[in-house]
Amino acid sequence: MVKKTTNNNEDRLQQIVEIERQLGEIQDVDVLLERILTETRRIVNADAGSIYVVEGDRIRIKYGQNDTHLRELPPGMKLPYTSFTFPINEKQICGYVALTCQPLNIDDCYSIPEDKPYKFNKNSDLITDYRTKSMYTIPLKMANGKLLGILQIINAQDASGKIISFSQDAELLISHFASSAVQALQHAYLTSDMVKRMLKMAEFRDPKETYPHVERVSSYSLEIYDRWAFNHNVPEEEQHKYRDALKIASKFHDVGKVGISDIILKKVTPRFTEEERNIMKGHTCIGAQLFDPPESFLDQMSLDIALHHHDRWDGDMTKGYPGKVNLEDFSIRDGVVPKCEPLSGKDIPLAARIVAVADVFDALSHKRCYKESWSIEDSFAEIQDSAGSHFDPEIVLAFMQVKDRICSIQIAYPDEEE
């Protein structure tokens, strides 16, 4: 929920400078987009808003926020996860701003003059029992003219909470902040491109490591962490740092498969021999070695996830692996994980415990060359039944608490054959 800000412009500008610094530290594009929306609303005390990205000749909504609706939910709950696209044209407000690349300030969306090419669709308001009034929509445009997205802020409020129009001061603050947001986005997109190249390499080697699978596991992991962090009263700044790294690091959970032989990796029969299974387990160590020695918080989390997302909460080494392995004892040439002491409970890094749930759920609920997909309900039931044995019970609790958003993510990132 966006907190009310002071009306003092000097204080606001100081706040913006600090936020801009924080934005520059965010590496994941999705986490950054969500933060841009949150902070823009905070700066001008707006009740709601959305942020969109441009995909060819269409616009996709990435995040929507609404404090009025959020207050109606139990603490810790989020608004429904939404993901849809629409064509860029002048008939819709976002499309009009995308085409003109100029900001648009509307005092009342229900009183747009008839001679304007764009209209406001009241259907969403009618369905959700909301009244959209003032709206400010601004393009997120690079210096070379390339359009990255659209930022839309809804229902500015005065100090008493009364809905007002977006003032000239608000326009200036949003415009200044949007410029800094675009710079942060450009940096984050460079990081995203590097991540995608690494993941594409893994996908070339292992057909199961598809873009939709990786995106689902990454998005599930973020939702699980957000709820776990709420349950444990994690400070806001700590959450920001952790969720940014987790969104990226979770995508590397199986990157170590690039070092596994095709004979094993692309085997279509459902069962491995004991020797093949032991070699396959080595993907955890190979993946970890890609980030060893870690030079950043992100490196350390990527290492932890790659190495330990197959370890079990109960430490059962007949089913989980690799345990308390020393990476120096693992040889890619041999490819076999050395016998190790069990790793269990909270000794398993938090990020790995989160990704373990996300990865297994996605594997269960989607078709593989060796099995058919399980139903969503059966997949959820299996995760819940495995709490305390395979998985951290607190992570499973958080997972079940965001069940609706997990289901929405599945719809947003279907496998190509689906």
Side-chain angles (χ1 to χ4, degrees), residues 17-120:
V17 170
E18 173 58 22
I19 294 169
E20 289 171 347
R21 182 193 65 77
Q22 294 174 8
L23 291 186
E25 297 175 351
I26 298 175
Q27 300 173 85
D28 181 76
V29 171
D30 285 349
V31 171
L32 178 57
L33 288 168
E34 186 177 12
R35 186 75 181 274
I36 289 170
L37 176 60
T38 299
E39 299 299 347
T40 308
R41 291 178 50 230
R42 181 174 290 160
I43 290 167
V44 295
N45 195 27
D47 183 59
S50 300
I51 193 162
Y52 305 79
V53 293
V54 176
E55 298 179 347
D57 60 353
R58 299 184 71 85
I59 298 176
R60 177 180 294 278
I61 185 170
K62 292 298 292 186
Y63 293 99
Q65 299 174 353
N66 187 306
D67 282 354
T68 294
H69 288 325
L70 191 61
R71 283 190 291 268
E72 298 169 354
L73 299 177
M77 293 290 288
K78 293 184 179 182
L79 296 173
Y81 183 98
T82 55
S83 179
F84 59 85
T85 67
F86 52 89
I88 296 176
N89 60 55
E90 63 178 11
K91 295 179 181 179
Q92 296 182 350
I93 294 170
C94 280
Y96 179 83
V97 170
L99 287 173
T100 62
C101 278
Q102 296 296 320
L104 185 62
N105 192 346
I106 301 173
D107 292 330
D108 188 346
C109 288
Y110 284 26
S111 301
I112 296 174
E114 290 295 327
D115 62 345
K116 298 296 184 182
Y118 50 84
K119 308 294 179 187
F120 176 72

Side-chain angles (χ1 to χ4, degrees), residues 214-233:
V214 168
E215 286 298 321
R216 288 192 301 263
V217 169
S218 176
S219 297
Y220 298 156
S221 297
L222 194 61
E223 295 296 337
I224 295 168
Y225 172 73
D226 284 348
R227 183 65 201 206
W228 180 92
F230 172 82
N231 293 345
H232 289 77
N233 298 311

Side-chain angles (χ1 to χ4, degrees), residues 5 8 24 27 58 61 67 91 141 147 200 220 240 246 262 301 315 321 331 362 409:
T5 58
N8 187 294
Q27 300 173 85
R58 299 184 71 85
I61 185 170
D67 282 354
K91 295 179 181 179
K141 184 175 60 173
L147 185 65
K200 180 60 70 175
Y220 298 156
H240 287 320
L246 180 63
D262 281 351
M301 186 181 290
Y321 59 92
S331 168
D362 198 65
I409 290 167

Side-chain angles (χ1 to χ4, degrees), residues 227-399:
R227 183 65 201 206
W228 180 92
F230 172 82
N231 293 345
H232 289 77
N233 298 311
V234 177
E236 183 178 355
E237 284 308 309
E238 183 179 335
Q239 289 186 49
H240 287 320
K241 179 181 179 181
Y242 198 95
R243 70 199 306 269
D244 178 40
L246 180 63
K247 190 67 165 56
I248 296 175
S250 56
K251 296 179 180 180
F252 293 129
H253 63 281
D254 275 341
V255 72
K257 289 182 179 179
V258 297
I260 303 298
S261 166
D262 281 351
I263 297 174
I264 297 173
L265 199 60
K266 298 180 179 180
K267 188 175 181 180
V268 295
T269 53
R271 295 189 179 279
F272 290 127
T273 66
E274 188 64 25
E275 181 183 3
E276 290 171 337
R277 185 178 296 106
N278 288 334
I279 292 174
M280 191 66 178
K281 290 178 180 178
H283 81 275
T284 56
C285 297
I286 297 171
Q289 287 182 337
L290 293 174
F291 303 98
D292 188 43
E295 297 182 359
S296 65
F297 182 66
L298 175 59
D299 280 353
Q300 184 62 60
M301 186 181 290
S302 299
L303 188 157
D304 289 342
I305 289 172
L307 188 59
H308 294 300
H309 70 285
H310 285 294
D311 277 304
R312 289 172 55 98
W313 177 258
D314 60 9
D316 184 351
M317 294 293 285
T318 65
K319 299 177 181 177
Y321 59 92
K324 297 180 180 179
V325 65
N326 184 339
L327 289 179
E328 294 180 357
D329 295 335
F330 175 80
S331 168
I332 294 180
R333 184 184 297 254
D334 297 334
V336 177
V337 178
K339 289 187 177 181
C340 305
E341 293 294 317
L343 188 68
S344 63
K346 292 186 178 180
D347 287 340
I348 303 170
L350 172 62
R353 302 193 320 257
I354 291 172
V355 173
V357 171
D359 186 36
V360 171
F361 175 79
D362 198 65
L364 291 174
S365 58
H366 288 83
K367 184 179 179 180
R368 294 288 185 264
C369 60
Y370 53 85
K371 75 169 191 66
E372 292 299 319
S373 61
W374 289 26
S375 71
I376 293 293
E377 288 303 323
D378 286 347
S379 300
F380 275 111
E382 177 64 21
I383 297 296
Q384 195 161 32
D385 291 344
S386 300
S389 55
H390 192 166
F391 306 120
D392 178 349
E394 293 182 350
I395 299 298
V396 173
L397 172 62
F399 175 74

